[in-house]
Structure formats: structure tokens, C-alpha cells
Amino acid sequence: MQLTIDNVSKTYPNGTQALKDVSLTIPSGMFGLLGPNGAGKSTLMRTVATLQEPDTGSVHLGDINALEDQHALRKRLGYLPQEVGVYDNVTAETLLNHFATLKGIDSRSERRQVVDALLDRVNLTDARDQDLGGYSGGMKRRFGIAVALIGNPKLIIVDEPTAGLDPAERVRFLNLLSELGEDSVVILSTHIVADVRELCTQMAIIRGGEIIFEGEPETAIADLEGQIWRKTVTKDTLPGHEAEFDVLSTKLVAGRPVIRVHSDDQPHDSFEPAEPDLEDVYFTRMRNGRHPEPAAVAG
Ligand code: ADP
């Protein structure tokens, strides 16, 4: 199974061009769509989920043309939006059973089996009789996954997967997501680099409605080997460093700013080499846009 997005563009009625000729090929497994707020992630995901139409372009899941046969696409889709609207005074089991009916699982015994298996899968069996209003943020997200998984979807879209989760809930949720990717296309749409780093074998970066990178996180990190430099500075000298060097990011370590700089050579002997990571990839690509590779030197 593969999702193919070809030359998709979208301009909203107010003139905002949210997607500019986006093309992506997304294989089975976990795919990270990374970009800052306003980059066009939700617009692209809503288009793929057939919730809105693009101005131009096409979307195919395997041989299903998503824009011409929305019904076929929706039958194979599991969509987990950021806010899972839940009814507070209903138990997880009742609501899941209700959604399974809506998805067309008519037989009562089959529904019971599906609901049991899904509750087990997302580790909510013990909380099945509890009203959803009493669920924690993490439990609600896991319940959302159970809903998204009804009917064995081949395409699963998860918007901002870990927003609002505490660290323990986040780990549990990411582990659960990582089990989904085996025979489906799973797209995580996020602005959190760590979510992509921990889960995804393929990724794209979107900025201003354009895909500025598509590939493997590992390869992109390896490409930066020898080009990332680190230095502890002071708050006073930080602006000067930012003016002089290609500062990718600044982090406070024990109260002092540590900058990471992108440079082919050691920028100054006060810098030490650093191992590149996916955040360096993200910030380098965000800065350079479509042409991140330095020009090849002949000879
Ligand atoms: P992201 O999900 O990456 O934050 P969005 O797809 O939500 O990005 O938004 C992309 C751009 O389109 C932003 O500039 C946003 O303000 C604009 N936008 C999103 N939805 C609408 C809409 N319904 N009408 C007008 N502009 C919109």
C-alpha cells in the first residue's frame, strides 16, 4: 500500500495559498510530516482524508483515486484529529460500540469482538466501564486511536500526536503508534521534531505550503556529519554570535546559552564539533529552503 500525492495546490477564499504544488510518495510504515504552525500540514491532511478538496492535483491510496471515489478512501481511513471530541457521560465501551455500528459492523457479536480487541490494543480494558469525562489526556488520545482503528484502516492520519501529553503518557502513546505501521500508511503530522525522530523511517518537511525536504531522517542526519558546531556563550555575546554565524538553535544548559552552528569548517577555534541530530536537519532545511546542499566544487 502506498499513498501518492501529485501536484496538490490549495488557495483559500481569503487568498491564503496554503499548498503550493505538493507532491509526496508515502510508503507503508510511519511517515512524519514536519513543519511549523501555518505550514499547511492540516490542509494537506484534510485533503488526503477527503474532508476538503484541493484546487488542483490528485491523491491516490493504492489504486483508489481519493478525489473521485471518496467513499472507497473513507472506508480505508482512520483519522485521529488533534482534539478528539468525546461525550463525557458515556463509557468507552458504549461509544466504541456506537462508532463500530456507524462504520457498518452490523453483527452484534462481531462488534463485541472488535470492541474487546481494540480496548485491549490501546490498553483501556480496565477502564472500559468508566465515563470518558474521567479519562486523562493520554487515555483520551488512546481512545481516539481505538476509534481510528475500527475497520482495519489502510491509511491512518494522526494530527499533532503528543500535544498536551505528559512525558509518561507521551511514551506510552508513541509506543502504541509505533505498532500501527506494519501494513498501513501511517502519517504523523506534527511540529515536534522529537516525535518524528523517535518513530518515523521516512519524513517530509513542509514550509509555507511547499515540501522542502523528503527522505529518511537517518540519511539527512548523516549528511550533516562534520557540519555542526557547538559553543557555550553568554547572554551578552549571544546577539553578536547570531549576527556572525549560522546559528541553528540556542538552548539553555545550566542557565547558560549553548548555540549550535551550521558550517562546513570549524567557525572559530572556540567551537567544538557536535553530533548532528534531527533538530539540526530541521533548522538547516527551514533556513535554506529547497537548496540545502552547498554548491559542488569542481576538481
Ligand atoms: P498547519 O496545520 O501546518 O498549522 P494549516 O494547514 O492549518 O497549517 O494552515 C496553512 C495556512 O492556511 C495558514 O496560513 C492558515 O492561516 C491558512 N488557513 C488554514 N485554514 C484556513 C481557512 N479555512 N481559511 C483561510 N485560511 C486558512
Side-chain angles (χ1 to χ4, degrees), residues 111-123 125:
R111 250 190 348 259
R112 187 185 300 260
Q113 277 178 9
V114 166
V115 168
D116 284 352
L118 286 173
L119 287 170
D120 184 49
R121 179 125 188 225
V122 301
N123 205 7
T125 300

Side-chain angles (χ1 to χ4, degrees), residues 245-272:
F245 303 106
D246 186 6
V247 176
L248 296 175
S249 59
T250 306
K251 271 188 191 141
L252 286 181
V253 178
R256 297 190 62 189
V258 176
I259 58 172
R260 290 172 80 86
V261 162
H262 181 223
S263 170
D264 288 345
D265 306 305
Q266 189 176 24
H268 179 266
D269 57 16
S270 58
F271 283 81
E272 57 177 5

Side-chain angles (χ1 to χ4, degrees), residues 47-59:
T47 306
V48 169
T50 76
L51 297 173
Q52 69 181 56
E53 292 193 358
D55 299 330
T56 57
S58 65
V59 176

Side-chain angles (χ1 to χ4, degrees), residues 26-195:
I26 304 183
S28 296
M30 287 277 174
F31 185 92
L33 179 68
L34 188 61
N37 288 331
K41 301 181 298 295
S42 301
T43 302
L44 186 59
M45 292 303 97
R46 285 198 305 264
T47 306
V48 169
T50 76
L51 297 173
Q52 69 181 56
E53 292 193 358
D55 299 330
T56 57
S58 65
V59 176
H60 288 82
L61 178 66
D63 53 14
I64 299 170
N65 183 329
L67 303 179
E68 285 177 4
D69 194 351
Q70 299 188 342
H71 180 70
L73 191 285
R74 286 177 190 165
K75 266 178 76 174
R76 290 162 184 79
L77 171 72
Y79 184 56
L80 180 58
Q82 195 175 350
E83 291 289 322
V84 187
V86 290
Y87 305 89
D88 283 353
N89 300 321
V90 180
T91 70
E93 181 172 7
T94 305
L95 194 56
L96 207 50
N97 188 58
H98 172 69
F99 283 128
T101 311
L102 291 182
K103 271 258 174 166
I105 306 175
D106 293 328
S107 140
R108 214 169 141 191
S109 61
E110 190 189 340
R111 250 190 348 259
R112 187 185 300 260
Q113 277 178 9
V114 166
V115 168
D116 284 352
L118 286 173
L119 287 170
D120 184 49
R121 179 125 188 225
V122 301
N123 205 7
L124 287 174
T125 300
D126 291 344
R128 65 192 298 156
D129 296 328
Q130 221 173 296
D131 282 354
L132 290 160
Y135 271 24
S136 71
M139 290 165 86
K140 282 181 185 161
R141 294 296 278 161
R142 283 187 276 140
F143 178 75
I145 290 228
V147 174
L149 287 179
I150 298 170
N152 288 325
K154 290 292 159 218
L155 171 62
I156 300 169
I157 295 175
V158 189
D159 207 356
E160 296 287 348
T162 61
L165 297 186
D166 71 35
E169 283 177 333
R170 177 173 176 275
V171 169
R172 223 175 299 145
F173 187 69
L174 291 181
N175 284 340
L176 179 59
L177 285 181
S178 73
E179 292 167 11
L180 301 183
E182 280 156 17
D183 60 346
S184 314
V185 175
V186 184
I187 307 177
L188 304 187
S189 167
T190 182
H191 67 274
I192 300 173
V193 178
D195 287 348

